[in-house]
Amino acid sequence: MQNNELEKTAVKTSIVTIAMNAVLTLFKLFAGIFGASYALISDAIHSASDVFSTVIVLIGVKIAGKTADKKHPFGHERFECVAAIILAVVLLITGAGIGYTGVMSLITGAYNDFEAPKIIALVAAAVSIVVKEAMFWYTLAAAKKVNSSALKADAWHHRSDSLSSIGSLVGVIGGMCGVPILDSIACLVICLFILKAAIQIFLDAIKKMTDEACDDKTQTEITDYIKACEGVKNLDSLLTRMFGNRIYVIAEIACEPDLPLFKAHEIAETVHEGIEMNFPLVKHVTVHVNPYYERKEEEPDGEFEKQAEEDATLQSTKNEEKSDNKE
């Protein structure tokens, strides 16, 4: 169900952003060429890369939404992280290309030959800032709604474009005021924003690919929920790991040591089903039941574990004596 919502939200968001980026790219390219602003042309290339990156995100999310199969018994959620990593690489290449052009312009002094930008370039840069910022908030809201790292990466791609458009605006104003070098400097600023976004997206995706624990707030809420479950005397251990945008939980609970097996299993099942029902991002829960031994306040650390081992040894000895008597 959660995967269906993720795919539905991603498709809707992607179609809207692709359409807006396509129109914005053409507008900025036209304004950059006829408005004599190389910074704006660079910004248009950045917007064009947004179209490509959103398509990558859409493909990644659709694959991540597939149900588990024989080759992928745990599901396909990590393909969303793969899409985010590809997006980071695309951003990195785009930023490096724009930065190289800006540096070469400064080294060769080519900016001195630039024609003064026209008013259409100024208008295009201002419109781009407003539109891209709106796209950032729209995509980010969708990403938070379904906890999608790929959509979040795409949102920050839009934000980097918004910031780069500010650089374009500065370059255009500089060119109109007779300081053409600002146009090339703006390209370098755009490059830095793009590279920063690429690194952030890459690191976020890597975290979700390397079994990092879920956030502290969610872990605390799961802990409190388990401890409140009827029959649970203690929570001995709780481990969580991210799997794409989903969470795996491994819990060790302690119950009364003399409980019948079916009753202990019933408590474990209640904890299992309750976590999956109350925490939608949790994909699977493994619950192990340990016998509970009450710890006295005066006992030093480790004494209750030692007592449990002694009790187990004593019980084993009794069983052996019973077996000998039968013989």
Side-chain angles (χ1 to χ4, degrees):
M1 192 71 179
Q2 208 268 349
N3 279 346
N4 289 337
E5 184 182 3
L6 169 61
E7 185 175 343
K8 184 178 178 181
T9 302
V11 169
K12 178 185 175 184
T13 306
S14 297
I15 289 174
V16 172
T17 56
I18 286 173
M20 293 182 70
N21 268 321
V23 172
L24 196 59
T25 296
L26 293 174
F27 177 50
K28 287 197 286 189
L29 188 61
F30 174 84
I33 293 172
F34 291 95
S37 171
Y38 187 80
L40 196 58
I41 294 173
S42 298
D43 203 16
I45 295 171
H46 189 187
S47 292
S49 73
D50 276 1
V51 176
F52 178 63
S53 67
T54 302
V55 171
I56 293 174
V57 168
L58 187 56
I59 293 172
V61 168
K62 287 187 75 67
I63 295 175
K66 292 172 63 178
T67 55
D69 53 35
K70 188 176 180 180
K71 287 187 176 181
H72 303 90
F74 294 101
H76 299 77
E77 281 83 2
R78 279 184 173 165
F79 278 95
E80 190 190 353
C81 296
V82 173
I85 290 173
I86 294 173
L87 172 56
V89 173
V90 171
L91 271 172
L92 192 67
I93 295 171
T94 303
I98 291 173
Y100 175 78
T101 303
V103 168
M104 292 306 295
S105 175
L106 289 171
I107 292 174
T108 61
Y111 58 85
N112 289 313
D113 300 325
F114 291 172
E115 183 185 346
K118 298 179 175 58
I119 191 67
I120 188 174
L122 185 69
V123 172
V127 169
S128 178
I129 294 169
V130 175
V131 173
K132 293 302 297 188
E133 189 67 15
M135 289 171 68
F136 163 74
W137 288 107
Y138 173 70
T139 308
L140 186 63
K144 288 181 177 180
K145 179 181 177 182
V146 294
N147 192 36
S148 170
S149 58
L151 276 178
K152 184 180 179 182
D154 204 28
W156 280 102
H157 196 177
H158 297 320
R159 165 57 68 83
S160 73
D161 206 1
S162 171
L163 294 173
S164 72
S165 292
I166 294 176
S168 298
L169 185 64
V170 171
V172 170
I173 292 174
M176 295 177 74
C177 295
V179 190
I181 193 173
L182 284 181
D183 197 79
S184 295
I185 293 175
C187 288
L188 296 181
V189 173
I190 293 170
C191 166
L192 293 176
F193 280 127
I194 295 174
L195 294 181
K196 181 175 181 291
I199 293 170
Q200 288 177 333
I201 291 167
F202 180 80
L203 292 178
D204 181 67
I206 290 297
K207 285 180 181 179
K208 293 184 177 180
M209 292 279 280
T210 53
D211 291 344
E212 186 179 72
C214 70
D215 62 278
D216 292 340
K217 181 175 179 291
T218 301
Q219 192 147 318
T220 300
E221 290 174 352
I222 293 174
T223 297
D224 293 341
Y225 178 83
I226 294 174
K227 288 182 176 180
C229 288
E230 186 177 354
V232 175
K233 300 291 290 183
N234 190 48
L235 176 60
D236 292 344
S237 173
L238 178 68
L239 300 175
T240 64
R241 66 184 179 92
M242 296 302 299
F243 187 85
N245 67 323
R246 305 296 296 279
I247 304 170
Y248 275 77
V249 177
I250 302 175
E252 288 192 23
I253 61 173
C255 299
E256 292 292 354
D258 57 351
L259 281 178
L261 177 60
F262 77 89
K263 182 62 179 176
H265 174 73
E266 187 178 273
I267 294 172
E269 280 295 291
T270 300
V271 172
H272 181 162
E273 294 172 2
I275 292 174
E276 290 187 347
M277 183 179 298
N278 288 278
F279 299 89
L281 291 180
V282 173
K283 181 174 182 176
H284 183 69
V285 182
T286 300
V287 182
H288 176 77
V289 181
N290 296 325
Y292 174 73
Y293 294 94
E294 188 172 0
R295 182 177 183 180
K296 296 179 182 178
E297 289 184 7
E298 64 273 11
E299 288 179 340
D301 289 343
E303 278 299 312
F304 77 105
E305 291 93 344
K306 183 178 178 182
Q307 183 61 47
E309 290 178 5
E310 290 176 355
D311 290 347
T313 303
L314 180 60
Q315 184 62 45
S316 177
T317 303
K318 288 181 179 179
N319 290 339
E320 289 177 4
E321 289 176 353
K322 287 180 181 179
S323 178
D324 292 339
N325 290 336
K326 285 181 181 180
E327 294 177 357

